[in-house]
Amino acid sequence: MSETNNINIKPRSRVTTGALPASQKIYTSPDDAPHLRVPFRAVRTADPQNQLIRIYDTSGPYTDPEVHIDIDQGLPGLRKDWITARAVEAYQGRQIKPEDNGTVNPAQLAQAFARTVAPLRGTGKAPLTQYEMACAGIISEEMIYVAERENLGRKQQFEQAQQSLEGGENFGASLPAFVTPEFVRSEIARGRAIIPANINHPELEPMIIGRNFLVKINANIGNSAVTSSIEEEIDKMVWAIRWGADTVMDLSTGRNIHHTREWIIRNSPVPIGTVPMYQALEKVNGIAEKLDWEVFRDTLIEQCEQGVDYFTIHAGVRLAYIHLTADRVTGIVSRGGSIMAKWCLHHHKESFLYEHFGDICDIMRRYDVSFSLGDGLRPGSIADANDKAQFSELETIGELTRVAWSKGCQVINEGPGHVPLHKIKENMDKQLRECGEAPFYTLGPLTTDIAPGYDHITSGIGAAMIGWYGTAMLCYVTPKEHLGLPNRDDVKTGVITYKIAAHAADLAKGHPIAQIQDDAISRARFDFRWEDQFNLSLDPETARSFHDETLPKEAHKLAHFCSMCGPKFCSMKISQEVRDYASRLNDKTQGMAQMSDRFQELGNELYVSSNTLKKNKAELQVGSPDNAD
Amino acid sequence: MSETNNINIKPRSRVTTGALPASQKIYTSPDDAPHLRVPFRAVRTADPQNQLIRIYDTSGPYTDPEVHIDIDQGLPGLRKDWITARAVEAYQGRQIKPEDNGTVNPAQLAQAFARTVAPLRGTGKAPLTQYEMACAGIISEEMIYVAERENLGRKQQFEQAQQSLEGGENFGASLPAFVTPEFVRSEIARGRAIIPANINHPELEPMIIGRNFLVKINANIGNSAVTSSIEEEIDKMVWAIRWGADTVMDLSTGRNIHHTREWIIRNSPVPIGTVPMYQALEKVNGIAEKLDWEVFRDTLIEQCEQGVDYFTIHAGVRLAYIHLTADRVTGIVSRGGSIMAKWCLHHHKESFLYEHFGDICDIMRRYDVSFSLGDGLRPGSIADANDKAQFSELETIGELTRVAWSKGCQVINEGPGHVPLHKIKENMDKQLRECGEAPFYTLGPLTTDIAPGYDHITSGIGAAMIGWYGTAMLCYVTPKEHLGLPNRDDVKTGVITYKIAAHAADLAKGHPIAQIQDDAISRARFDFRWEDQFNLSLDPETARSFHDETLPKEAHKLAHFCSMCGPKFCSMKISQEVRDYASRLNDKTQGMAQMSDRFQELGNELYVSSNTLKKNKAELQVGSPDNAD
């Protein structure tokens, strides 16, 4: 509830800092850009083959003991100098108005973040957006940074990288064995990838979203009119990135929206996305019909100046498509979609988002805010999947994607939703076709509707599949989906579930660095290095606590068994004995190989010819007795 | 721990009984067999289209208030008369020996279930196994029973059944629109399905496992040398079937194995599977080399007489294959597989399971115990998936499947394990090819190794996919996998996760009855019938508690919003307004359809021709200014 929304708010008190178990923050610098410091998490293990396992790290300075965290100050401006060297100008900026925070009464107005710098905007005198720079052949610091990051700081490709790619199935993607800054540039110029990075969000550690890079995940946070405070939302953001969220969407719909967002952006090392329509609607007291271009435009500029990195814009919800939803089982389930549908019907007019799309591009271009073209008509149930309403909107999204590119903007497209397994691939294939391979950003999809309370799982299944097929970023779903606002635990469960889905997809695509962590943890498992198994896992704390429920003693961390089978039965233990035995044999003779030849032919003894099978079968028909003991 | 393993054990005290929320137990009778009573769960809803939703029910008498549950007595012998009318004889049976319970000292010997009936065995004078009867053209009561059960008691096919099948993708399966007893017989005779049902387990409510029926799930329980008691295991069994486990495997490896199993079988309405090797090993004090055919044979008969419905037999682990595992990352991870590998190497001999396979068939046939041919060489890590060791064993399993059929036995085959997404289908296709479409029974597969503590999810992803591809039964994995023995909560989480996977697979295959529950819950969601949404879900208690965390009041059960978005923003609410508005319009004019035509052409206004795109792009290259606001 909102009791904590008052000027005594002390956000810092709740934020989680410190490294994960056995982990340390390390930084590497690209050869051609020694001034860049790209962060990774390194896990110390007792693995003879690999004592320091490097892992992609989304957690930012919060897990670096060297960095002093002060929520009131916000994070350091990592990108400040890169940005100011470009065609930008500082300016007065828009005045904050009471309606920006939902016109709350003073007692409930949250403390404002003490912002010290004026907003920047592009002068238009030179390429500014990552897309414009890429098209102009410019390789930005952000491009160099993400290349280093995607390679896990490798200086050249692993021997097995090419092999790994050839062993995978990527459905026509073009993953490289090694990511170069030039490859990043070319992918962005082709519209196949984006680096969401508003020039007013210098605190950002750049990351890339595209089919030919690691699959990313987004975590949604945000207070609602019913519950939660700014303090909780900042904590959720830091908590989400600690467990692996690559971007965070602030979907706040309650009071204090402006202040909440400012606190989050100033303290966020990951791109922040929003749905500006939510705040615009608050400004007209939740009455959709009262929305218009002016209030929406004003909201866009407000959020551009704050540093939001990508906007969900539901410009594909056209008047002509709304009637297609009338016979659906669950109608329109996207908030933005339903708001625009209501507006269109009330005014008997085409959507002002669609009609002003060019103007929206012009605004977003000046701050390099990326488009996330929203799927306002996505299916909300298995019954409505892949219907005409959904696919008509997708075709319009394809059209708008090309418009945005022509205006110099970065674009990703949002996808469903609720889709049964056999209809998932059609979504991916149609998006690639209609939208010129712009990165796809899907919610789930949920593969069945019968498990509220477990929709992180119903959707994690669909997410892994569509990620494998080519989706670039997966929007998480928490166990609370359809039931309530996720709390801290739900956020963690959602993030871990989606890290699993994204990683399973990377493995299947044969991504060169995907299997390193799997192999390291598997070796730890086989060697009974329990500590390493815990520390290398997505959630070391949970892994350890589950193990310790039944075997809490420190001695058990070295035991060659766990409580699943007990000491006598551990197959890993027996199988190590088998291996040792075999190697002893090998010293004496050629060992197993030789033996196996000797016994190869045994197989035939038991083989029953098809004639015998027929004969026996014939006997069965008349129920002949057999002479079993 | 085992402290409760004493004669004061009161298992009944822990078992959960009573119906699920808003649910009642109903029974239907097939037209051609009015004496059969097939159970279902019926959920009462306020859905105008369907006020009583019928759901497949695995929970047995425990959810029927009419039945008095007495664990000491065991369940009624539903199948007793069917079985005694067949070619069976009662006989003295084998004496229980101290080693059957791991030679525990008297203080730790568990109370024995007071069994009153002598075991039965086949006389061999007529077809006895479901496979023999099916081949002889006999339709058993079990076949009629499962047909009714698979149809959810429908008396004829729904109109949309055929349509539903055509809308699905089943990869060459042959699902019927309506299941007849003759179809069941023919599938069993072809070896494509089994009804696991030991003649000494009359308490069983028959169920069928096959690619052309609903996908089933198995839950593993069982105490280990380290922890848990009989009481806990009976409770886990009842708990597992309450949430939807179709079969239960008792993998006990500690003391009191015989007594534990007896208590479980006498109280189980679902098929019970075991791995006899585990008990055999206990009988030789855990020293694999000491195993021989005599002790194994004796254990098989012991368990056949108790009423175990299917045995995992690792007869495919041949001496010739063992060296193929030497270079694996995780060697041999199957307990049975590693035990046999050790035995083979020590004796330099072919596996006695392989050499005595015909004898094993002869024993299992007399009790109609089904084979579950174990995959002792399944991969234990992503790195080892689909390797030569695994596939060589699968080929031998195919060979043994045909031998078992020729001996009159029912057979299913076990599958992996740990497999990345892109290598899953190859497993299914090869199994269908090598094993003549015998039902496939897979563990997971886990699609990544990096998430111990969440392996119900890493494996639920693979399970949904392989279930869709054609796997007949999915063996659950709990969150404790690799870490410890699952407790009651883990069992429930594992079962719910696998019900999701199995159901997602049925939906994708277009199973005629699969989507009923999805549509019912989706309608409830759209109508804000919160109670119905909770009650129709796989886990009503969790769904309700999640909702009530933020909106506990009864009034909120009728509210047209939840705490995710709050009252102003609920898309479902807005979308209902849109629908109402549209229908009002329709009364006046042709409404939306007409409007949409009027606005159809608007799309073109905004369309940017490819020439314009090229032109704009050209400008970008030189970074031309644009006149954004």
Side-chain angles (χ1 to χ4, degrees):
Chain A
M1 306 306 156
S2 310
E3 287 75 347
T4 56
N5 281 11
N6 58 56
I7 55 164
N8 298 322
I9 177 179
K10 285 268 168 293
R12 76 167 73 68
S13 59
R14 280 277 302 278
V15 167
T16 307
T17 59
L20 288 165
S23 299
Q24 67 198 69
K25 177 82 70 175
I26 61 168
Y27 298 87
T28 70
S29 297
D31 296 334
D32 44 5
H35 59 295
L36 301 187
R37 292 173 73 236
V38 181
F40 299 99
R41 172 182 157 214
V43 182
R44 292 179 301 279
T45 77
D47 188 341
Q49 290 188 46
N50 197 348
Q51 297 187 355
L52 214 58
I53 311 289
R54 210 178 275 179
I55 294 174
Y56 190 100
D57 186 357
T58 58
S59 62
Y62 296 98
T63 51
D64 184 347
E66 304 302 307
V67 179
H68 170 67
I69 297 297
D70 181 349
I71 298 296
D72 292 339
Q73 293 300 312
L75 297 177
L78 170 69
R79 296 167 57 230
K80 191 166 167 301
D81 300 341
W82 314 349
I83 296 163
T84 47
R86 295 170 190 161
V88 297
E89 61 189 10
Y91 69 111
Q92 175 59 52
R94 176 187 169 283
Q95 279 306 314
I96 298 170
K97 307 167 189 168
E99 58 264 40
D100 298 350
N101 285 301
T103 328
V104 296
N105 57 57
Q108 288 177 311
L109 181 64
Q111 177 186 31
F113 180 89
R115 183 167 178 169
T116 51
V117 294
L120 301 175
R121 67 181 168 198
T123 60
K125 295 191 171 54
L128 178 67
T129 72
Q130 299 292 328
Y131 180 76
E132 288 175 298
M133 288 191 280
C135 291
I138 301 165
I139 294 177
S140 67
E141 286 86 349
E142 288 85 353
M143 297 174 196
I144 301 169
Y145 189 102
V146 299
E148 180 81 0
R149 199 170 190 182
E150 291 282 321
N151 287 325
L152 282 188
R154 288 178 295 155
K155 291 309 173 197
Q156 72 293 316
Q157 71 175 68
F158 289 139
E159 290 156 17
Q160 68 267 36
Q162 197 53 45
Q163 208 172 314
S164 167
L165 283 171
E166 284 155 12
E169 164 58 74
N170 63 29
F171 300 100
S174 314
L175 284 79
F178 186 72
V179 179
T180 62
E182 168 53 25
F183 178 77
V184 172
R185 187 205 60 77
S186 66
E187 286 293 294
I188 293 172
R190 289 182 60 159
R192 284 206 300 212
I194 72 166
I195 296 177
N198 184 322
I199 58 172
N200 289 310
H201 188 194
E203 302 88 350
L204 183 80
E205 293 177 347
M207 53 79 71
I208 190 161
I209 301 169
R211 179 186 180 197
N212 295 318
F213 301 94
L214 289 161
V215 175
K216 305 303 190 298
I217 68 167
N218 171 73
N220 293 333
I221 61 170
N223 59 351
S224 81
V226 173
T227 179
S228 94
S229 69
I230 289 183
E231 182 183 23
E232 286 171 77
E233 297 313 316
I234 298 173
D235 173 59
K236 278 186 198 169
M237 179 274 288
V238 175
W239 188 238
I241 64 177
R242 181 178 182 83
W243 298 112
D246 294 285
T247 77
V248 168
M249 287 195 80
D250 173 14
L251 303 184
S252 294
T253 57
R255 289 164 299 203
N256 293 309
I257 291 186
H258 181 97
H259 287 349
T260 303
R261 188 167 49 234
E262 188 74 29
W263 278 103
I264 291 172
I265 294 170
R266 299 285 74 81
N267 287 285
S268 174
V270 303
I272 297 297
T274 63
V275 185
M277 180 61 70
Y278 296 170
Q279 185 178 17
L281 189 62
E282 287 283 355
K283 293 179 180 179
V284 295
N285 302 311
I287 302 163
E289 308 85 281
K290 290 199 179 167
L291 284 165
D292 58 28
W293 166 239
E294 285 61 37
V295 69
F296 188 76
R297 178 181 170 288
D298 180 59
T299 306
L300 287 183
I301 292 168
E302 171 188 355
Q303 299 196 14
C304 285
E305 291 178 349
Q306 281 189 293
V308 174
D309 301 288
Y310 62 95
F311 289 154
T312 293
I313 305 283
H314 295 98
V317 180
R318 301 197 54 188
L319 177 61
Y321 304 150
I322 296 169
H323 75 284
L324 298 175
T325 67
D327 298 329
R328 278 178 158 186
V329 170
T330 47
I332 300 173
V333 295
S334 149
R335 285 188 248 165
S338 54
I339 292 163
M340 286 315 298
K342 195 172 180 186
W343 187 94
C344 291
L345 286 186
H346 181 86
H347 297 286
H348 287 222
K349 277 217 203 114
E350 182 58 276
S351 154
F352 63 80
L353 296 179
Y354 184 83
E355 302 219 299
H356 285 277
F357 192 74
D359 303 324
I360 296 171
C361 291
D362 294 336
I363 294 170
M364 290 170 66
R365 177 186 190 172
R366 296 194 75 168
Y367 304 86
D368 196 8
V369 176
S370 302
F371 275 97
S372 183
L373 291 171
D375 56 337
L377 302 182
R378 68 172 173 269
S381 58
I382 293 299
D384 296 340
N386 296 18
D387 68 358
K388 189 158 192 300
Q390 181 196 336
F391 282 161
S392 299
E393 180 189 34
L394 181 56
E395 288 156 19
T396 297
I397 286 174
E399 166 200 329
L400 297 175
T401 296
R402 291 173 175 79
V403 173
W405 283 337
S406 76
K407 292 280 202 166
C409 297
Q410 303 192 89
V411 190
I412 60 177
N413 311 136
E414 296 183 8
H418 293 239
V419 185
L421 298 178
H422 65 303
K423 294 184 177 178
I424 292 175
K425 193 158 188 307
E426 183 182 5
N427 280 270
M428 189 70 236
D429 295 343
K430 186 173 174 69
Q431 187 271 341
L432 288 171
R433 196 169 58 249
E434 300 287 345
C435 307
E437 289 191 86
F440 206 23
Y441 169 33
T442 62
L443 176 73
L446 286 71
T447 55
T448 168
D449 302 326
I450 67 171
Y454 298 82
D455 279 329
H456 58 303
I457 298 176
T458 64
S459 66
I461 292 167
M465 289 176 69
I466 204 161
W468 175 29
Y469 297 150
T471 288
M473 183 158 76
L474 306 169
C475 183
Y476 86 173
V477 172
T478 78
K480 288 280 170 63
E481 184 74 11
H482 299 118
L483 299 169
L485 196 70
N487 61 26
R488 203 168 187 272
D489 294 339
D490 300 319
V491 166
K492 179 177 176 181
T493 302
V495 168
I496 298 287
T497 302
Y498 273 66
K499 287 296 284 187
I500 289 168
H503 184 75
D506 287 330
L507 276 177
K509 289 164 79 175
H511 192 293
I513 65 166
Q515 207 173 315
I516 298 169
Q517 197 175 349
D518 294 76
D519 293 350
I521 207 166
S522 296
R523 285 193 301 270
R525 198 167 267 163
F526 191 70
D527 298 345
F528 297 99
R529 287 183 274 112
W530 289 98
E531 295 286 348
D532 289 350
Q533 189 182 163
F534 304 149
N535 297 336
L536 286 164
S537 64
L538 284 181
D539 180 0
E541 292 158 12
T542 297
R544 174 183 299 273
S545 68
F546 280 3
H547 174 271
D548 290 1
E549 263 182 42
T550 46
L551 294 172
K553 299 207 192 74
E554 270 319 297
H556 291 139
K557 301 295 189 304
L558 302 168
H560 279 211
F561 63 90
C562 73
S563 66
M564 274 183 90
C565 316
K568 275 185 194 169
F569 279 87
C570 180
S571 60
M572 293 269 189
K573 180 174 159 227
I574 297 179
S575 140
Q576 285 187 327
E577 291 167 16
V578 166
R579 189 177 289 188
D580 302 343
Y581 186 90
S583 62
R584 283 200 304 281
L585 266 181
N586 275 307
D587 304 341
K588 288 202 240 90
T589 70
Q590 297 93 301
M592 296 170 90
Q594 189 200 51
M595 283 194 316
S596 73
D597 300 339
R598 249 180 55 222
F599 288 89
Q600 196 70 266
E601 69 277 1
L602 275 174
N604 309 325
E605 280 181 15
L606 204 133
Y607 179 77
V608 181
S609 76
S610 56
N611 283 342
T612 324
L613 285 176
K614 284 206 202 69
K615 183 175 144 297
N616 293 356
K617 190 119 177 184
E619 285 169 5
L620 291 177
Q621 315 273 342
V622 296
S624 72
D626 80 85
N627 309 320
D629 70 310
Chain B
M1 304 304 159
S2 310
E3 287 73 347
T4 55
N5 283 11
N6 60 56
I7 56 167
N8 296 324
I9 176 180
K10 285 271 169 288
R12 77 167 74 68
S13 58
R14 280 277 301 279
V15 167
T16 307
T17 58
L20 288 164
S23 299
Q24 68 197 70
K25 177 83 69 174
I26 61 168
Y27 297 88
T28 69
S29 298
D31 296 335
D32 45 2
H35 60 296
L36 301 187
R37 291 173 74 236
V38 181
F40 299 100
R41 172 181 158 214
V43 183
R44 291 179 301 279
T45 76
D47 188 341
Q49 289 188 47
N50 196 349
Q51 298 186 353
L52 213 59
I53 311 288
R54 210 179 274 180
I55 295 175
Y56 190 99
D57 185 358
T58 59
S59 62
Y62 297 98
T63 50
D64 184 348
E66 303 302 308
V67 179
H68 170 67
I69 298 297
D70 180 351
I71 298 297
D72 291 340
Q73 293 299 311
L75 298 176
L78 170 70
R79 294 166 59 232
K80 190 164 167 299
D81 299 343
W82 315 348
I83 295 163
T84 47
R86 294 169 190 161
V88 297
E89 60 188 9
Y91 69 111
Q92 176 58 52
R94 175 185 169 285
Q95 277 306 313
I96 298 171
K97 306 167 189 169
E99 59 264 37
D100 299 350
N101 285 301
T103 328
V104 298
N105 58 58
Q108 287 177 311
L109 182 64
Q111 177 186 31
F113 181 90
R115 182 167 180 169
T116 51
V117 295
L120 302 174
R121 68 181 166 198
T123 60
K125 296 194 170 55
L128 179 66
T129 71
Q130 299 293 327
Y131 179 77
E132 289 175 298
M133 287 191 280
C135 291
I138 300 166
I139 294 178
S140 67
E141 287 85 351
E142 288 84 354
M143 299 174 197
I144 302 169
Y145 188 102
V146 299
E148 180 81 0
R149 198 171 190 182
E150 292 281 321
N151 288 325
L152 283 189
R154 289 177 295 153
K155 291 309 172 195
Q156 72 293 317
Q157 70 176 68
F158 290 139
E159 289 154 17
Q160 69 266 39
Q162 197 53 46
Q163 205 174 315
S164 165
L165 283 171
E166 285 154 11
E169 165 57 75
N170 63 31
F171 300 101
S174 313
L175 284 78
F178 187 72
V179 179
T180 62
E182 169 52 25
F183 178 77
V184 171
R185 187 206 62 77
S186 66
E187 286 292 294
I188 294 172
R190 289 181 62 159
R192 284 207 300 214
I194 71 165
I195 296 177
N198 184 323
I199 58 173
N200 289 311
H201 188 195
E203 302 87 352
L204 183 79
E205 293 177 347
M207 53 78 70
I208 190 161
I209 302 168
R211 180 186 179 197
N212 296 319
F213 301 94
L214 289 162
V215 175
K216 305 303 190 297
I217 69 168
N218 171 73
N220 293 333
I221 61 169
N223 61 350
S224 82
V226 173
T227 179
S228 91
S229 69
I230 288 184
E231 182 183 23
E232 288 171 74
E233 297 314 314
I234 298 173
D235 173 59
K236 278 186 200 167
M237 178 274 289
V238 175
W239 188 238
I241 63 177
R242 181 178 182 82
W243 298 112
D246 295 286
T247 78
V248 168
M249 288 195 79
D250 173 15
L251 303 184
S252 294
T253 58
R255 290 162 298 200
N256 292 309
I257 291 186
H258 181 98
H259 287 347
T260 304
R261 186 167 50 235
E262 188 74 29
W263 278 105
I264 290 171
I265 294 170
R266 299 285 73 82
N267 287 285
S268 174
V270 304
I272 297 298
T274 63
V275 185
M277 180 62 70
Y278 297 170
Q279 186 179 17
L281 189 62
E282 287 283 354
K283 292 179 179 179
V284 293
N285 303 311
I287 302 162
E289 310 84 281
K290 290 197 177 169
L291 284 164
D292 59 26
W293 166 238
E294 284 61 37
V295 68
F296 188 78
R297 179 181 169 286
D298 180 59
T299 306
L300 287 182
I301 292 168
E302 172 188 355
Q303 299 197 15
C304 287
E305 292 178 349
Q306 282 188 292
V308 174
D309 301 289
Y310 62 96
F311 289 154
T312 294
I313 305 284
H314 296 99
V317 180
R318 301 197 54 188
L319 177 60
Y321 304 149
I322 297 168
H323 75 284
L324 299 174
T325 68
D327 297 329
R328 278 179 161 186
V329 169
T330 48
I332 300 173
V333 296
S334 148
R335 285 189 249 165
S338 55
I339 291 163
M340 285 316 298
K342 194 173 182 186
W343 187 93
C344 292
L345 286 184
H346 181 87
H347 297 286
H348 287 222
K349 274 216 205 114
E350 182 58 275
S351 154
F352 63 81
L353 297 178
Y354 184 83
E355 303 221 297
H356 285 277
F357 191 75
D359 303 324
I360 296 171
C361 294
D362 294 336
I363 294 169
M364 289 169 68
R365 175 187 193 173
R366 295 195 75 169
Y367 304 87
D368 196 8
V369 176
S370 301
F371 275 97
S372 183
L373 291 171
D375 56 337
L377 302 183
R378 68 171 172 268
S381 57
I382 292 299
D384 296 341
N386 296 16
D387 69 358
K388 189 156 192 299
Q390 180 196 338
F391 282 160
S392 300
E393 180 190 33
L394 182 55
E395 289 156 19
T396 297
I397 286 174
E399 165 200 330
L400 296 174
T401 297
R402 291 172 174 79
V403 173
W405 283 338
S406 76
K407 292 280 204 167
C409 297
Q410 304 192 89
V411 190
I412 60 178
N413 311 137
E414 296 183 9
H418 293 237
V419 185
L421 298 177
H422 64 304
K423 293 185 177 178
I424 292 175
K425 193 158 189 303
E426 182 182 7
N427 280 270
M428 189 71 235
D429 295 343
K430 187 173 173 70
Q431 186 271 342
L432 289 170
R433 195 170 58 249
E434 300 286 344
C435 306
E437 288 190 86
F440 204 24
Y441 169 33
T442 62
L443 177 73
L446 285 70
T447 54
T448 169
D449 301 327
I450 67 170
Y454 299 81
D455 279 330
H456 58 303
I457 298 175
T458 63
S459 67
I461 293 167
M465 289 177 68
I466 204 162
W468 175 30
Y469 297 151
T471 288
M473 183 158 77
L474 306 169
C475 183
Y476 87 172
V477 172
T478 78
K480 288 281 172 61
E481 184 73 11
H482 299 118
L483 298 170
L485 196 70
N487 62 25
R488 202 167 187 273
D489 294 339
D490 301 318
V491 166
K492 179 178 176 180
T493 302
V495 168
I496 299 286
T497 302
Y498 273 66
K499 286 295 284 186
I500 288 168
H503 184 75
D506 287 330
L507 275 178
K509 290 165 77 175
H511 192 294
I513 65 167
Q515 207 174 314
I516 299 169
Q517 197 175 347
D518 295 76
D519 292 349
I521 207 165
S522 296
R523 284 192 302 270
R525 196 166 271 163
F526 192 68
D527 297 345
F528 297 100
R529 286 183 275 110
W530 290 98
E531 294 287 348
D532 289 349
Q533 188 181 165
F534 304 149
N535 297 335
L536 285 164
S537 66
L538 283 182
D539 181 359
E541 293 158 12
T542 297
R544 175 184 299 273
S545 67
F546 280 3
H547 174 272
D548 290 1
E549 265 181 40
T550 45
L551 293 172
K553 300 207 194 76
E554 271 319 297
H556 291 139
K557 301 296 189 305
L558 301 167
H560 280 210
F561 64 89
C562 74
S563 65
M564 274 182 89
C565 315
K568 276 186 195 168
F569 278 88
C570 180
S571 59
M572 293 267 188
K573 179 173 161 231
I574 297 177
S575 146
Q576 285 187 329
E577 291 168 14
V578 166
R579 187 177 291 187
D580 302 342
Y581 187 89
S583 60
R584 282 200 304 281
L585 266 181
N586 275 306
D587 304 339
K588 288 200 241 93
T589 71
Q590 295 94 302
M592 296 171 88
Q594 190 199 49
M595 282 195 315
S596 72
D597 299 339
R598 250 181 53 220
F599 288 90
Q600 196 68 269
E601 68 277 3
L602 274 174
N604 309 325
E605 282 180 15
L606 203 133
Y607 179 76
V608 180
S609 77
S610 57
N611 283 343
T612 324
L613 285 177
K614 284 205 200 70
K615 182 176 144 298
N616 293 355
K617 189 120 178 181
E619 286 170 3
L620 291 177
Q621 314 273 342
V622 295
S624 72
D626 80 85
N627 309 320
D629 75 306

